[in-house]
PDB file of all heavy atoms in Angstrom:
ATOM      1  N   VAL A 173      -0.016  14.468 -52.307  1.00 53.00           N
ATOM      2  CA  VAL A 173       0.723  15.480 -51.346  1.00 53.00           C
ATOM      3  C   VAL A 173       2.197  15.354 -51.850  1.00 53.00           C
ATOM      4  O   VAL A 173       2.874  14.417 -51.699  1.00 53.00           O
ATOM      5  CB  VAL A 173       0.729  14.956 -49.865  1.00 53.00           C
ATOM      6  CG1 VAL A 173       1.505  15.925 -49.015  1.00 53.00           C
ATOM      7  CG2 VAL A 173      -0.873  15.110 -49.440  1.00 53.00           C
ATOM      8  N   ASP A 174       2.656  16.386 -52.563  1.00 58.00           N
ATOM      9  CA  ASP A 174       4.035  16.507 -52.904  1.00 58.00           C
ATOM     10  C   ASP A 174       4.910  16.827 -51.769  1.00 58.00           C
ATOM     11  O   ASP A 174       4.488  17.010 -50.631  1.00 58.00           O
ATOM     12  CB  ASP A 174       4.139  17.404 -54.087  1.00 58.00           C
ATOM     13  CG  ASP A 174       3.589  18.813 -53.719  1.00 58.00           C
ATOM     14  OD1 ASP A 174       2.799  18.905 -52.779  1.00 58.00           O
ATOM     15  OD2 ASP A 174       4.041  19.750 -54.276  1.00 58.00           O
ATOM     16  N   SER A 175       6.034  16.917 -52.161  1.00 59.00           N
ATOM     17  CA  SER A 175       7.077  17.265 -51.107  1.00 59.00           C
ATOM     18  C   SER A 175       6.809  18.817 -50.679  1.00 59.00           C
ATOM     19  O   SER A 175       7.029  19.705 -51.384  1.00 59.00           O
ATOM     20  CB  SER A 175       8.442  17.083 -51.587  1.00 59.00           C
ATOM     21  OG  SER A 175       8.624  18.021 -52.726  1.00 59.00           O
ATOM     22  N   GLY A 176       6.389  18.838 -49.372  1.00 59.00           N
ATOM     23  CA  GLY A 176       6.251  20.328 -48.999  1.00 59.00           C
ATOM     24  C   GLY A 176       4.876  20.834 -49.400  1.00 59.00           C
ATOM     25  O   GLY A 176       4.502  21.909 -48.958  1.00 59.00           O
ATOM     26  N   GLY A 177       4.158  20.127 -50.293  1.00 74.00           N
ATOM     27  CA  GLY A 177       2.823  20.558 -50.558  1.00 74.00           C
ATOM     28  C   GLY A 177       2.784  21.987 -51.176  1.00 74.00           C
ATOM     29  O   GLY A 177       1.812  22.726 -51.321  1.00 74.00           O
ATOM     30  N   VAL A 178       3.898  22.198 -52.106  1.00 79.00           N
ATOM     31  CA  VAL A 178       3.828  23.510 -52.782  1.00 79.00           C
ATOM     32  C   VAL A 178       2.963  23.586 -53.811  1.00 79.00           C
ATOM     33  O   VAL A 178       2.234  24.628 -54.028  1.00 79.00           O
ATOM     34  CB  VAL A 178       5.329  23.760 -53.169  1.00 79.00           C
ATOM     35  CG1 VAL A 178       5.412  25.221 -53.690  1.00 79.00           C
ATOM     36  CG2 VAL A 178       6.400  23.604 -52.180  1.00 79.00           C
ATOM     37  N   VAL A 179       2.962  22.513 -54.541  1.00 79.00           N
ATOM     38  CA  VAL A 179       1.886  22.461 -55.668  1.00 79.00           C
ATOM     39  C   VAL A 179       0.507  22.694 -55.128  1.00 79.00           C
ATOM     40  O   VAL A 179      -0.278  23.340 -55.706  1.00 79.00           O
ATOM     41  CB  VAL A 179       1.939  21.200 -56.492  1.00 79.00           C
ATOM     42  CG1 VAL A 179       0.852  21.148 -57.488  1.00 79.00           C
ATOM     43  CG2 VAL A 179       3.309  21.242 -57.159  1.00 79.00           C
ATOM     44  N   GLU A 180       0.238  22.035 -54.105  1.00 81.00           N
ATOM     45  CA  GLU A 180      -1.172  22.148 -53.514  1.00 81.00           C
ATOM     46  C   GLU A 180      -1.352  23.584 -53.223  1.00 81.00           C
ATOM     47  O   GLU A 180      -2.582  24.074 -53.487  1.00 81.00           O
ATOM     48  CB  GLU A 180      -1.143  21.393 -52.270  1.00 81.00           C
ATOM     49  CG  GLU A 180      -1.768  19.962 -52.391  1.00 81.00           C
ATOM     50  CD  GLU A 180      -1.895  19.244 -51.084  1.00 81.00           C
ATOM     51  OE1 GLU A 180      -1.400  19.758 -50.214  1.00 81.00           O
ATOM     52  OE2 GLU A 180      -2.598  18.200 -51.105  1.00 81.00           O
ATOM     53  N   ALA A 181      -0.398  24.138 -52.545  1.00 83.00           N
ATOM     54  CA  ALA A 181      -0.593  25.546 -52.153  1.00 83.00           C
ATOM     55  C   ALA A 181      -0.910  26.505 -53.317  1.00 83.00           C
ATOM     56  O   ALA A 181      -1.835  27.270 -53.270  1.00 83.00           O
ATOM     57  CB  ALA A 181       0.609  25.987 -51.346  1.00 83.00           C
ATOM     58  N   GLU A 182      -0.171  26.357 -54.352  1.00 84.00           N
ATOM     59  CA  GLU A 182      -0.204  27.073 -55.468  1.00 84.00           C
ATOM     60  C   GLU A 182      -1.609  26.815 -56.226  1.00 84.00           C
ATOM     61  O   GLU A 182      -2.272  27.783 -56.645  1.00 84.00           O
ATOM     62  CB  GLU A 182       0.862  26.892 -56.469  1.00 84.00           C
ATOM     63  CG  GLU A 182       2.144  27.304 -56.007  1.00 84.00           C
ATOM     64  CD  GLU A 182       2.344  28.853 -55.549  1.00 84.00           C
ATOM     65  OE1 GLU A 182       1.619  29.674 -56.224  1.00 84.00           O
ATOM     66  OE2 GLU A 182       3.071  29.169 -54.697  1.00 84.00           O
TER      67      GLU A 182
END
Side-chain angles (χ1 to χ4, degrees):
Chain A
V173 178
D174 57 332
S175 59
V178 188
V179 171
E180 267 186 346
E182 297 297 329

